[in-house]
Amino acid sequence: MIHRTSRLLALLILGTSAAGAFAQDAIRPEQAARHVGQTGMVCGKVEKTRYAENSEGQPTFLHMGGAFPRHTFSARISQDQRGKFKPSPEELEGRDVCVVGTIQRDASRAEIAVSSPGDIKLAQIK
């Protein structure tokens, strides 16, 4: 049932045209570390956002799969992409999203480096 629900959520989020381009199953944030090195679509609730303005590159993180610092997955938005997001990354906190990209490992967590706002899709409630 969870697998079927994840796929349905992914199709609702991405819509018909994008779903064809990303014909893959949604990965829960807690499962993302099992897919390191693969291109995937991680879907879940953004538990916390964090703008690391004092860190190198000033990235913004969307933490999913648990509350920071015990989260299991992060989407990392580079400073040069941050201003392109509508809604802003901070407005994504508490919302369900899917993040598409290559899943990497960052310490003990999985991460996707977001290359454009198109890599993150909001859930569309009907």
Side-chain angles (χ1 to χ4, degrees), residues 19 25 27 30 32 38-39 56 88 93 107 111-112:
D25 290 331
I27 300 166
E30 299 81 15
Q38 300 173 14
T39 298
E56 182 180 339
S88 71
E93 191 168 307
E111 176 180 278
I112 290 179

Side-chain angles (χ1 to χ4, degrees), residues 4-77:
R4 186 175 179 184
T5 303
S6 296
R7 187 169 186 82
L8 178 61
L9 175 65
L11 290 174
L12 286 173
I13 292 169
L14 293 175
T16 314
S17 61
F22 298 108
Q24 58 189 338
D25 290 331
I27 300 166
R28 294 189 326 263
E30 299 81 15
Q31 303 297 318
R34 296 181 184 173
H35 299 273
V36 169
Q38 300 173 14
T39 298
M41 180 173 57
V42 179
C43 298
K45 180 181 177 182
V46 177
E47 301 287 343
K48 181 78 176 161
T49 61
R50 183 172 67 92
Y51 178 35
E53 57 189 322
N54 294 324
S55 295
E56 182 180 339
Q58 298 180 313
T60 300
F61 295 95
L62 307 180
H63 299 302
M64 299 164 64
F68 179 82
R70 298 194 187 324
H71 60 288
T72 58
F73 175 81
S74 293
R76 181 173 33 91
I77 302 168

Side-chain angles (χ1 to χ4, degrees), residues 90-103:
E90 287 76 15
E91 292 174 285
L92 297 174
E93 191 168 307
R95 299 182 76 178
D96 291 320
V97 300
C98 284
V99 183
V100 177
T102 302
I103 301 170

